[in-house]
Amino acid sequence: MPRPKKIRHCEGRKCGKAFKPARIPLTELTHIPLLQDELETLRLCDLRGLTQEQAGASMGISRGTVQRILTSARSKVAQALVEGAALIIEDSPLLEEELPG
């Protein structure tokens, strides 16, 4: 039985937004889902310059989990840029804002 996933703390709500090449309708593009926790790791590590350990502390997850999420996110962004696909921001499982209160 796998270990339960930790709740992830992410800032902002970008779900449902798309980033795509200009002048091509979204309906004509391949869609690549980018989970909100993947976007958050990109923001913390690549934009803000935090270490994976610092990003993990901010999100409430381990450094190893940050590394795994960051690798996936970078791969998806590279694929979208190289192939001219659309990145669609989607909800991640276990986000802090989604917990029943």
Side-chain angles (χ1 to χ4, degrees):
M1 185 160 131
R3 216 171 71 178
K5 291 186 176 188
K6 287 186 177 181
I7 296 168
R8 295 160 188 194
H9 310 280
C10 298
E11 291 184 19
R13 299 293 296 166
K14 306 275 188 231
C15 295
K17 298 206 177 203
F19 294 90
K20 66 175 196 65
R23 293 185 224 127
I24 303 174
L26 190 59
T27 57
E28 295 179 16
L29 296 170
T30 301
H31 294 187
I32 299 173
L34 185 70
L35 299 177
Q36 192 170 343
D37 59 352
E38 292 172 326
L39 181 61
E40 182 71 356
T41 59
L42 286 172
R43 184 184 75 79
L44 293 173
C45 295
D46 294 342
L47 185 61
R48 291 195 50 213
L50 298 183
T51 66
Q52 291 177 7
E53 190 171 326
Q54 292 167 327
S58 174
M59 293 178 70
I61 57 178
S62 71
R63 184 209 49 83
T65 300
V66 170
Q67 182 179 23
R68 181 183 50 77
I69 294 170
L70 189 58
T71 298
S72 173
R74 286 175 175 164
S75 176
K76 289 178 180 183
V77 170
Q79 180 185 0
L81 290 173
V82 170
E83 297 176 2
L87 285 170
I88 310 296
I89 311 301
E90 295 185 354
D91 273 329
S92 297
L94 299 174
L95 289 181
E96 181 179 39
E97 299 89 26
E98 298 170 355
L99 292 177

